[in-house]
């Protein structure tokens, strides 16, 4: 059985989608989660590939954030588009990583993912506040490779 299917329960997935919705209620930024089993290429490169595959560059303000997880490899990458990268504090990606890692290390995957989403949301909110004409530019559902 693929570990991707075992990684999160249906209920946990719902909670994650809800966290994305909650984060996006306060920012125009777009957050996505992609989970797959493994990849033969470096994880950062793969995250970038997935970012393109999911057409995450298609946001007006270039403010998409992808949390990429390779379950069997025990690796994850948090990747943000240029618009965000330009404005967030230098240590933002590192501190978000640390937040997620802390939960992952104790096996709390759902908690880690949600903590990462909410942390990214808080930062996005500062630079890309939600606006009345905001659109949900990217689906909130978890994608699987
Ligand atoms: Ca939006
Ligand atoms: Ca969205």
């Amino acid at each position: 059985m693929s570990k991707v299917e075992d990684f999160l329960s249906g209920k946990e997935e719902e909670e994650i989608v809800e966290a994305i919705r909650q984060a996006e209620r306060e920012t125009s930024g777009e957050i996505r989660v992609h989970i797959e089993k493994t990849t033969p290429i470096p994880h950062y490169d793969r995250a970038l590939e997935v970012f393109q595959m999911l057409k995450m560059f298609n946001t007006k303000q270039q403010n998409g954030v992808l949390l990429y997880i390779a379950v069997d490899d025990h690796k994850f990458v948090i990747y943000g588009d240029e618009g965000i990268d330009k404005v967030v504090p230098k240590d933002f990606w590192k501190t978000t990583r640390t937040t997620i890692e802390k939960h992952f290390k104790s096996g709390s995957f759902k908690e880690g993912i949600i903590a990462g989403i909410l942390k990214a949301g808080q930062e996005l909110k500062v630079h890309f506040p939600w606006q009345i004409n905001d659109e949900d530019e990217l689906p909130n559902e978890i994608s699987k490779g």
Side-chain angles (χ1 to χ4, degrees):
M1 202 195 308
S2 160
K3 276 194 182 169
V4 176
E5 297 308 317
D6 301 338
F7 188 60
L8 297 164
S9 70
K11 187 173 172 295
E12 288 176 323
E13 288 194 11
E14 275 170 36
E15 285 176 55
I16 290 166
V17 173
E18 185 50 42
I20 295 175
R21 255 188 234 121
Q22 188 188 328
E24 291 187 4
R25 236 173 258 143
E26 305 207 63
T27 174
S28 63
E30 296 287 332
I31 302 169
R32 290 209 68 170
V33 177
H34 182 89
I35 302 170
E36 66 186 8
K37 198 175 162 71
T38 183
T39 177
I41 67 172
H43 294 91
Y44 184 84
D45 297 350
R46 177 59 185 156
L48 188 56
E49 205 173 80
V50 170
F51 200 88
Q52 282 163 338
M53 188 180 83
L54 297 174
K55 299 190 165 51
M56 290 189 65
F57 290 109
N58 291 347
T59 57
K60 272 189 210 120
Q61 298 179 282
Q62 294 189 289
N63 53 5
V65 175
L66 171 68
L67 174 56
Y68 165 83
I69 302 165
V71 178
D72 279 9
D73 304 340
H74 302 282
K75 294 279 183 197
F76 74 92
V77 175
I78 178 146
Y79 182 86
D81 206 351
E82 264 175 38
I84 303 168
D85 204 33
K86 263 194 288 202
V87 294
V88 294
K90 267 210 178 76
D91 65 347
F92 170 67
W93 302 111
K94 204 173 148 233
T95 56
T96 307
R97 245 203 102 74
T98 310
T99 302
I100 299 171
E101 221 157 28
K102 228 171 28 197
H103 292 281
F104 278 16
K105 274 190 181 142
S106 58
S108 308
F109 298 111
K110 179 202 78 181
E111 287 78 2
I113 294 168
I114 290 179
I117 290 166
L118 297 180
K119 185 161 167 49
Q122 286 302 308
E123 190 65 39
L124 284 170
K125 181 171 119 180
V126 177
H127 308 285
F128 304 98
W130 186 86
Q131 286 162 353
I132 193 82
N133 60 350
D134 183 73
E135 285 169 35
D136 189 22
E137 296 173 290
L138 300 170
N140 303 331
E141 276 61 44
I142 297 170
S143 63
K144 290 174 189 167

